[in-house]
Amino acid sequence: MAEETIPVGYQGVPGAYSHLALQTYFAGKPVDARNFMLFEDVIQAVMEGKVRYGVLPIENSSTGEITDVYDLVRRYGASIVGEKIVKVEHCLLACPGAKLEGITEVYSHPQGFSQCQVFFKEHPAMRQFNYFNTAKAAELVAQKKDPHMAAVAGAQAAEQYGLAILARGINTNQSNYTRFIILSRQRELVPEADKITLIVSLKHQPGSLYRVLSHFARYRINMTNIESRPIPGRPWEYYFHIDITGHLTDPAVQKALGDLPEDTTECKILGNYPADHGKEEKES
């Protein structure tokens, strides 16, 4: 019997890094990839059951966390069921026949430009125009067929839209990676899960953050990430996104999580899932 096709949503268009993350994470599985314009559109589709999973970027090794996604995951109550790390190699793409010295307009997502600052300092004649995302910029350049226009995007976008690569690997940091999370409406727990993402809000007391972190230290649980975000409608109050290692069935994890309510006003587990462990970096 044929395996059931899995509807999966991502932000952007074919050729985007999100699309690449989707393809690599679900490699070998029958997937119906559906693209959406906005991050929120993807999460809404997941929570409304229009797609089973959603793929969204959560942080970049060069430019840090993508705060909009942190806020959306919390607001909608989506569950994180996986992650995929993708190596980002930005290229300057243009229509076939275009010359590097003739490019005067370049389109890309602001993150794409921020990761290629040195390249653009070396090419001051190239004016930068912000666009929806890197692959959408490549699609625009392909449609316009203007030899003076270019896009900053991945090599997969060049193949998708029939563009030429005028310069490869223009990102300043050559060890440039983006971590994507896989979202679902329902929590999933597998035996190989070894990473837990949770959010906590702290009591307004001296040392409250120290006490929260001390619970993990007491039970020798490794914390791999912590990010603070303002709580909407409550000025100067914050919640924290925390990543720790472990499985929810581990006794030490259960004890640490059981102690957290003593020092928090909110504590919610967003997911327990297998970490990627930088597989692409090791392979490269």
Side-chain angles (χ1 to χ4, degrees), residues 255-280:
K255 290 177 182 177
L257 296 179
D259 288 347
L260 289 182
E262 299 174 9
D263 301 294
T264 62
T265 56
E266 177 187 12
C267 180
K268 183 178 181 181
I269 297 170
L270 296 184
N272 187 192
Y273 50 93
D276 192 316
H277 297 300
K279 293 175 183 175
E280 280 74 14

Side-chain angles (χ1 to χ4, degrees), residues 155-187:
Q156 70 274 8
E159 182 178 352
Q160 179 75 36
Y161 298 107
L163 297 175
I165 299 177
L166 300 186
R168 187 183 292 271
I170 65 173
N171 36 286
T172 305
N173 180 5
Q174 294 302 304
S175 295
N176 190 18
Y177 297 85
T178 296
R179 180 165 70 97
F180 293 83
I181 52 175
I182 317 302
L183 299 171
S184 175
R185 185 168 58 174
Q186 304 294 332
R187 181 183 295 182

Side-chain angles (χ1 to χ4, degrees), residues 30-50:
V31 170
D32 174 16
R34 304 179 187 177
N35 64 307
F36 297 85
M37 181 64 70
L38 304 173
F39 291 152
E40 188 167 8
D41 295 339
V42 175
I43 293 190
Q44 282 182 336
V46 169
M47 301 309 290
E48 293 171 3
K50 295 178 180 177

Side-chain angles (χ1 to χ4, degrees), residues 51-102:
V51 296
R52 183 172 174 184
Y53 299 109
V55 179
L56 289 177
I58 194 70
E59 67 174 321
N60 177 266
S61 60
S62 297
T63 55
E65 74 276 6
I66 300 171
T67 55
D68 289 350
V69 176
Y70 275 115
D71 294 341
L72 288 168
V73 172
R74 177 181 183 271
R75 190 198 317 164
Y76 280 90
S79 294
I80 303 174
V81 298
E83 70 174 9
K84 190 65 184 175
I85 297 174
V86 172
K87 182 173 175 59
V88 175
E89 184 182 53
H90 289 313
C91 302
L92 189 72
L93 312 181
C95 292
K99 302 297 183 183
L100 181 64
E101 58 272 17

Side-chain angles (χ1 to χ4, degrees), residues 188-194 246-250 272-274:
E188 298 179 4
L189 187 61
V190 295
E192 61 269 26
D194 59 354
H247 195 282
L248 287 174
T249 59
D250 296 342
N272 187 192
Y273 50 93

